[in-house]
Amino acid sequence: MERTKRGASALMALLVLIGIGCGKDKAVGPKPSEITGNWTATKVEYVSRTTPQTRVDLIALGGTVNVAIREDHAWIYVHTKSGGAPDTTTGTWSLDGDLFKVQPSGFPFQWVWDVSLSGNTLALSDADMEYDFDDNGTPEMADQFMTLVR
C-alpha cells in the first residue's frame, strides 16, 4: 500500500510539472506607465521585405521623428524630413504583453511592433508597414524598426 501511495504521489507531481511546463506563456512587456511620455527617435528604419538589404533610416537621412505616447492612449507621431514641413500621424495605442499596437486615425489597419524598454530607450521592432524605397509613388512591403529615447 505504501508503494502505491508513493507511486501515485510521484505521478501527481509529474502531471503538475507537465501542466506547468505546457502552459502558454504570455510575454511580458513594459507597463503603460513606463512608456508614456515624449520620445525622440534615434532610428526609424524601413527594411524591404523583398530585398532585405534595401534599408532606409529616416534619421540617417537627416530627418527627425518625435513620438508622444500619452496617458489617455493618444499616439502622436511627427516626422520632419530634412528641410521639410512636419508630417503628423495621430491615433490610439495599446499594449498586449510585449506587443505595442497603434490604430492610426482614419485607417482600417493597425501597426503592431514588438516592444522592449531598457532604461530610457524604447525599442519598437518588426511592424508590418509600407515604404516607397525607389520613390516611384508606389510603396512596397517593409518592416519598420524604431529606437526612441526620452
Side-chain angles (χ1 to χ4, degrees):
M1 181 77 166
E2 183 64 33
R3 186 176 199 181
T4 305
K5 283 184 183 177
R6 280 190 294 203
S9 294
L11 180 60
M12 287 301 289
L14 179 61
L15 290 174
V16 168
L17 287 174
I18 289 171
I20 291 171
C22 292
K24 186 172 181 176
D25 291 335
K26 183 160 175 107
V28 177
K31 296 175 187 169
S33 61
E34 295 175 317
I35 65 168
T36 56
N38 296 313
W39 299 87
T40 300
T42 59
K43 177 175 87 171
V44 179
E45 183 177 52
Y46 291 89
V47 179
S48 170
R49 288 257 182 91
T50 56
T51 53
Q53 66 274 17
T54 302
R55 298 167 179 256
V56 172
D57 181 351
L58 302 180
I59 307 307
L61 291 175
T64 62
V65 170
N66 294 293
V67 176
I69 302 172
R70 297 190 357 196
E71 287 181 26
D72 63 359
H73 289 264
W75 159 267
I76 304 167
Y77 174 99
V78 181
H79 171 222
T80 305
K81 291 182 180 180
S82 180
D87 181 24
T88 302
T89 302
T90 62
T92 57
W93 66 271
S94 64
L95 277 175
D96 183 10
D98 65 346
L99 297 177
F100 182 76
K101 301 176 181 183
V102 170
Q103 177 65 55
S105 300
F107 292 96
F109 54 81
Q110 188 177 60
W111 295 313
V112 181
W113 291 268
D114 296 322
V115 61
S116 65
L117 177 66
S118 178
N120 288 325
T121 302
L122 183 66
L124 302 176
S125 304
D126 208 21
D128 293 340
M129 299 263 180
E130 292 182 336
Y131 187 82
D132 188 3
F133 290 97
D134 53 13
D135 207 22
N136 68 356
T138 304
E140 296 93 39
M141 290 305 299
D143 294 316
Q144 188 200 54
F145 299 83
M146 282 197 281
T147 304
L148 306 166
V149 296
R150 287 191 210 256

